[in-house]
Amino acid sequence: ATADALRIKKIRRSMKKHSTADISVISAERFSTIPPESIERTLSNCFGDLVSEISIIHYIRPHFGRAVSAYAEQVKIGSTDLSLPEFLDAAIQEKRYHSARRIQKWRDVFGPAYNVRIMSRNVLVNQDVVADFFTATLGTIPANWSSPSQVNASLCAEGTTYVRTLQSHLTGRLRALRHALGYEFEYLYNKAIPTAKRTKLTIDRTKASEFYEAHVSDAIEVDRILGG
Protein backbone atom coordinates (compact mmCIF):
# COMPACT_ATOMS: atom_id res chain seq x y z
CA ALA A 1 0.00 0.00 0.00
CA THR A 2 2.87 2.36 0.81
CA ALA A 3 4.49 1.69 -2.57
CA ASP A 4 1.17 2.35 -4.32
CA ALA A 5 0.73 5.62 -2.42
CA LEU A 6 4.22 6.73 -3.46
CA ARG A 7 3.47 5.91 -7.10
CA ILE A 8 0.24 7.90 -6.95
CA LYS A 9 2.05 10.89 -5.45
CA LYS A 10 4.63 10.68 -8.23
CA ILE A 11 1.87 10.64 -10.85
CA ARG A 12 0.14 13.62 -9.24
CA ARG A 13 3.39 15.60 -9.12
CA SER A 14 4.01 14.86 -12.78
CA MET A 15 0.48 15.92 -13.75
CA LYS A 16 0.81 19.12 -11.71
CA LYS A 17 4.12 19.89 -13.40
CA HIS A 18 2.41 19.61 -16.78
CA SER A 19 -0.87 21.14 -15.66
CA THR A 20 -1.31 23.14 -18.87
CA ALA A 21 -1.72 19.93 -20.90
CA ASP A 22 -5.20 19.23 -22.23
CA ILE A 23 -4.89 15.48 -21.72
CA SER A 24 -2.87 13.38 -19.30
CA VAL A 25 -2.03 9.74 -20.03
CA ILE A 26 -1.30 7.09 -17.41
CA SER A 27 -0.05 3.92 -19.07
CA ALA A 28 0.90 0.54 -17.57
CA GLU A 29 0.53 -3.01 -18.82
CA ARG A 30 -0.09 -4.27 -15.31
CA PHE A 31 -3.34 -2.31 -14.99
CA SER A 32 -5.08 -5.20 -16.73
CA THR A 33 -4.04 -7.61 -13.95
CA ILE A 34 -5.49 -5.44 -11.17
CA PRO A 35 -9.18 -5.75 -10.21
CA PRO A 36 -11.03 -2.84 -11.87
CA GLU A 37 -12.75 -2.04 -8.57
CA SER A 38 -9.32 -1.28 -7.08
CA ILE A 39 -8.40 0.90 -10.05
CA GLU A 40 -11.68 2.83 -9.80
CA ARG A 41 -11.27 3.31 -6.05
CA THR A 42 -7.69 4.52 -6.43
CA LEU A 43 -8.63 6.91 -9.24
CA SER A 44 -11.49 8.31 -7.16
CA ASN A 45 -9.23 8.82 -4.15
CA CYS A 46 -6.55 10.45 -6.29
CA PHE A 47 -8.60 12.61 -8.64
CA GLY A 48 -11.96 13.05 -6.91
CA ASP A 49 -14.72 14.38 -9.18
CA LEU A 50 -12.32 14.34 -12.14
CA VAL A 51 -12.69 10.57 -12.29
CA SER A 52 -15.86 11.12 -14.33
CA GLU A 53 -13.70 12.60 -17.11
CA ILE A 54 -11.33 9.62 -17.26
CA SER A 55 -11.41 7.18 -20.16
CA ILE A 56 -9.93 3.69 -19.96
CA ILE A 57 -8.34 2.42 -23.19
CA HIS A 58 -7.57 -1.29 -23.08
CA TYR A 59 -5.69 -3.01 -25.90
CA ILE A 60 -6.21 -6.76 -26.22
CA ARG A 61 -4.53 -9.20 -28.58
CA PRO A 62 -6.26 -12.12 -30.30
CA HIS A 63 -5.73 -15.22 -28.16
CA PHE A 64 -2.99 -16.96 -30.13
CA GLY A 65 -1.03 -13.80 -30.86
CA ARG A 66 -1.16 -12.90 -27.18
CA ALA A 67 0.07 -16.35 -26.12
CA VAL A 68 2.97 -16.39 -28.57
CA SER A 69 3.97 -12.83 -27.65
CA ALA A 70 3.87 -13.72 -23.95
CA TYR A 71 5.99 -16.80 -24.60
CA ALA A 72 8.68 -14.83 -26.43
CA GLU A 73 8.71 -12.24 -23.64
CA GLN A 74 8.96 -14.78 -20.83
CA VAL A 75 11.71 -16.75 -22.55
CA LYS A 76 13.59 -13.50 -23.16
CA ILE A 77 13.66 -12.55 -19.48
CA GLY A 78 14.18 -16.09 -18.22
CA SER A 79 10.73 -16.53 -16.67
CA THR A 80 10.14 -19.85 -18.46
CA ASP A 81 12.29 -22.57 -19.94
CA LEU A 82 9.39 -24.38 -21.58
CA SER A 83 9.11 -25.03 -25.28
CA LEU A 84 6.31 -23.19 -27.07
CA PRO A 85 4.04 -26.30 -27.23
CA GLU A 86 4.61 -26.91 -23.49
CA PHE A 87 3.88 -23.25 -22.73
CA LEU A 88 0.63 -23.41 -24.70
CA ASP A 89 -0.38 -26.64 -22.92
CA ALA A 90 0.02 -24.86 -19.57
CA ALA A 91 -1.91 -21.82 -20.84
CA ILE A 92 -4.77 -24.04 -22.01
CA GLN A 93 -4.87 -25.88 -18.69
CA GLU A 94 -4.95 -22.63 -16.68
CA LYS A 95 -7.27 -20.76 -19.09
CA ARG A 96 -4.57 -18.10 -18.84
CA TYR A 97 -5.64 -16.09 -21.89
CA HIS A 98 -9.41 -16.16 -21.51
CA SER A 99 -10.54 -12.53 -21.62
CA ALA A 100 -14.35 -12.35 -21.69
CA ARG A 101 -15.01 -12.34 -17.93
CA ARG A 102 -12.21 -9.83 -17.32
CA ILE A 103 -13.49 -7.48 -20.02
CA GLN A 104 -17.03 -7.71 -18.66
CA LYS A 105 -15.81 -6.84 -15.15
CA TRP A 106 -14.06 -3.72 -16.44
CA ARG A 107 -17.14 -2.72 -18.40
CA ASP A 108 -19.36 -3.26 -15.34
CA VAL A 109 -17.16 -0.91 -13.29
CA PHE A 110 -16.39 1.83 -15.82
CA GLY A 111 -19.32 1.54 -18.23
CA PRO A 112 -18.97 3.60 -21.46
CA ALA A 113 -15.69 5.09 -20.18
CA TYR A 114 -14.09 1.69 -20.81
CA ASN A 115 -12.93 1.28 -24.41
CA VAL A 116 -11.43 -1.89 -25.87
CA ARG A 117 -9.12 -1.72 -28.88
CA ILE A 118 -7.94 -4.80 -30.73
CA MET A 119 -4.16 -5.14 -31.00
CA SER A 120 -4.11 -6.42 -34.56
CA ARG A 121 -2.48 -4.49 -37.38
CA ASN A 122 -5.33 -5.08 -39.82
CA VAL A 123 -7.76 -3.12 -37.58
CA LEU A 124 -5.39 -0.52 -36.07
CA VAL A 125 -5.51 2.99 -37.50
CA ASN A 126 -2.74 3.19 -40.12
CA GLN A 127 -1.82 -0.34 -38.98
CA ASP A 128 0.06 1.32 -36.14
CA VAL A 129 -0.73 1.13 -32.41
CA VAL A 130 0.62 4.65 -31.72
CA ALA A 131 -1.59 6.19 -34.42
CA ASP A 132 -4.50 4.12 -33.15
CA PHE A 133 -3.97 5.27 -29.56
CA PHE A 134 -3.82 8.95 -30.48
CA THR A 135 -6.91 8.56 -32.65
CA ALA A 136 -8.75 6.97 -29.73
CA THR A 137 -7.51 9.71 -27.39
CA LEU A 138 -7.71 12.82 -29.57
CA GLY A 139 -10.29 11.74 -32.14
CA THR A 140 -7.95 12.21 -35.10
CA ILE A 141 -4.31 12.46 -36.15
CA PRO A 142 -2.68 14.81 -38.69
CA ALA A 143 -2.96 13.76 -42.34
CA ASN A 144 0.84 13.80 -42.59
CA TRP A 145 1.27 11.50 -39.58
CA SER A 146 4.48 9.51 -39.77
CA SER A 147 4.52 6.28 -37.78
CA PRO A 148 7.48 6.01 -35.39
CA SER A 149 10.09 3.32 -35.86
CA GLN A 150 9.09 0.01 -34.34
CA VAL A 151 10.78 -0.71 -31.02
CA ASN A 152 10.65 -3.68 -28.65
CA ALA A 153 9.65 -6.10 -31.43
CA SER A 154 9.27 -9.66 -30.15
CA LEU A 155 12.09 -12.06 -30.90
CA CYS A 156 11.66 -14.41 -33.83
CA ALA A 157 11.91 -18.21 -33.62
CA GLU A 158 15.70 -18.26 -33.99
CA GLY A 159 16.23 -15.40 -31.54
CA THR A 160 13.97 -17.07 -29.00
CA THR A 161 15.95 -20.31 -29.28
CA TYR A 162 19.23 -18.47 -28.75
CA VAL A 163 18.08 -16.47 -25.74
CA ARG A 164 16.42 -19.55 -24.22
CA THR A 165 19.78 -21.32 -24.35
CA LEU A 166 21.52 -18.25 -22.94
CA GLN A 167 19.05 -17.95 -20.07
CA SER A 168 19.46 -21.66 -19.25
CA HIS A 169 22.97 -20.85 -18.05
CA LEU A 170 21.66 -18.17 -15.67
CA THR A 171 19.24 -20.28 -13.63
CA GLY A 172 19.19 -19.05 -10.05
CA ARG A 173 20.85 -15.72 -10.84
CA LEU A 174 19.30 -12.37 -9.93
CA ARG A 175 16.07 -11.64 -11.81
CA ALA A 176 17.24 -8.11 -12.60
CA LEU A 177 20.31 -9.55 -14.32
CA ARG A 178 18.25 -11.99 -16.38
CA HIS A 179 15.84 -9.24 -17.40
CA ALA A 180 18.63 -6.86 -18.38
CA LEU A 181 20.45 -9.53 -20.37
CA GLY A 182 17.28 -10.57 -22.17
CA TYR A 183 16.36 -7.04 -23.21
CA GLU A 184 19.91 -6.30 -24.33
CA PHE A 185 20.01 -9.51 -26.36
CA GLU A 186 16.67 -8.66 -28.01
CA TYR A 187 17.88 -5.16 -28.90
CA LEU A 188 21.17 -6.35 -30.38
CA TYR A 189 19.64 -9.32 -32.19
CA ASN A 190 16.87 -7.33 -33.84
CA LYS A 191 19.38 -4.64 -34.77
CA ALA A 192 21.76 -7.16 -36.37
CA ILE A 193 19.33 -9.53 -38.11
CA PRO A 194 17.22 -8.12 -40.99
CA THR A 195 13.48 -8.67 -40.69
CA ALA A 196 13.48 -10.73 -43.89
CA LYS A 197 15.78 -13.29 -42.25
CA ARG A 198 13.64 -13.77 -39.12
CA THR A 199 11.21 -16.68 -38.86
CA LYS A 200 7.97 -16.26 -36.93
CA LEU A 201 7.26 -18.52 -34.00
CA THR A 202 4.86 -21.25 -35.18
CA ILE A 203 3.38 -24.51 -33.94
CA ASP A 204 2.17 -27.64 -35.70
CA ARG A 205 -1.40 -28.05 -36.92
CA THR A 206 -2.42 -30.39 -34.09
CA LYS A 207 -1.34 -28.00 -31.34
CA ALA A 208 -2.91 -25.07 -33.18
CA SER A 209 -6.20 -27.00 -33.32
CA GLU A 210 -6.01 -27.75 -29.58
CA PHE A 211 -5.40 -24.08 -28.80
CA TYR A 212 -8.26 -23.01 -31.08
CA GLU A 213 -10.74 -25.41 -29.47
CA ALA A 214 -9.74 -24.24 -26.00
CA HIS A 215 -10.28 -20.54 -26.83
CA VAL A 216 -12.97 -20.29 -29.50
CA SER A 217 -15.85 -20.00 -27.01
CA ASP A 218 -14.08 -17.20 -25.15
CA ALA A 219 -13.37 -15.41 -28.44
CA ILE A 220 -17.05 -15.63 -29.37
CA GLU A 221 -18.03 -14.23 -25.97
CA VAL A 222 -15.53 -11.37 -26.30
CA ASP A 223 -17.07 -10.53 -29.70
CA ARG A 224 -20.53 -10.55 -28.13
CA ILE A 225 -19.48 -8.24 -25.30
CA LEU A 226 -17.84 -5.85 -27.75
CA GLY A 227 -20.79 -5.96 -30.09
CA GLY A 228 -18.88 -7.76 -32.85
Side-chain angles (χ1 to χ4, degrees):
T2 302
D4 289 341
L6 290 174
R7 292 190 188 99
I8 290 172
K9 287 182 179 180
K10 184 177 180 180
I11 290 171
R12 294 185 68 170
R13 285 198 302 269
S14 177
M15 294 179 70
K16 186 175 182 180
K17 180 179 178 181
H18 302 284
S19 59
T20 58
D22 294 326
I23 296 174
S24 295
V25 176
I26 303 173
S27 176
E29 290 184 13
R30 292 185 180 180
F31 278 168
S32 64
T33 66
I34 301 173
E37 299 89 349
S38 298
I39 296 290
E40 196 277 336
R41 184 168 56 252
T42 301
L43 290 174
S44 294
N45 291 339
C46 185
F47 301 114
D49 293 342
L50 289 176
V51 73
S52 63
E53 299 181 25
I54 291 175
S55 293
I56 308 293
I57 300 176
H58 183 185
Y59 280 91
I60 62 170
R61 292 179 183 271
H63 294 77
F64 184 70
R66 183 181 176 202
V68 171
S69 176
Y71 174 72
E73 177 70 14
Q74 291 186 35
V75 169
K76 178 182 71 179
I77 63 176
S79 292
T80 184
D81 61 356
L82 298 176
S83 67
L84 179 55
E86 291 169 338
F87 183 87
L88 294 179
D89 282 339
I92 290 170
Q93 184 68 27
E94 299 167 9
K95 297 184 178 180
R96 190 181 302 165
Y97 300 113
H98 284 216
S99 302
R101 290 181 63 185
R102 181 160 50 93
I103 290 172
Q104 188 60 61
K105 285 182 179 180
W106 279 83
R107 178 153 288 181
D108 289 343
V109 171
F110 288 100
Y114 175 66
N115 303 288
V116 174
R117 312 285 289 189
I118 307 301
M119 181 73 87
S120 182
R121 287 192 180 279
N122 63 317
V123 297
L124 294 174
V125 174
N126 290 5
Q127 298 187 336
D128 172 55
V129 67
V130 179
D132 191 89
F133 174 77
F134 280 112
T135 300
T137 306
L138 305 175
T140 185
I141 56 175
N144 61 348
W145 169 271
S146 178
S147 297
S149 300
Q150 186 177 13
V151 295
N152 199 29
S154 294
L155 285 168
C156 62
E158 297 87 354
T160 301
T161 299
Y162 295 145
V163 79
R164 185 181 173 201
T165 301
L166 185 61
Q167 289 285 5
S168 71
H169 295 286
L170 297 174
T171 301
R173 302 297 292 272
L174 289 174
R175 185 173 64 174
L177 170 65
R178 303 186 74 172
H179 282 210
L181 185 145
Y183 278 102
E184 184 67 11
F185 176 89
E186 177 186 65
Y187 170 76
L188 294 174
Y189 184 88
N190 286 340
K191 184 178 180 181
I193 306 300
T195 303
K197 292 187 177 182
R198 302 177 203 167
T199 305
K200 288 185 177 181
L201 280 164
T202 58
I203 56 174
D204 62 59
R205 189 179 298 274
T206 299
K207 185 61 62 181
S209 179
E210 291 175 8
F211 190 88
Y212 172 83
E213 292 298 332
H215 293 85
V216 63
S217 61
D218 186 71
I220 291 172
E221 181 63 10
V222 169
D223 282 349
R224 185 194 67 77
I225 293 171
L226 300 181

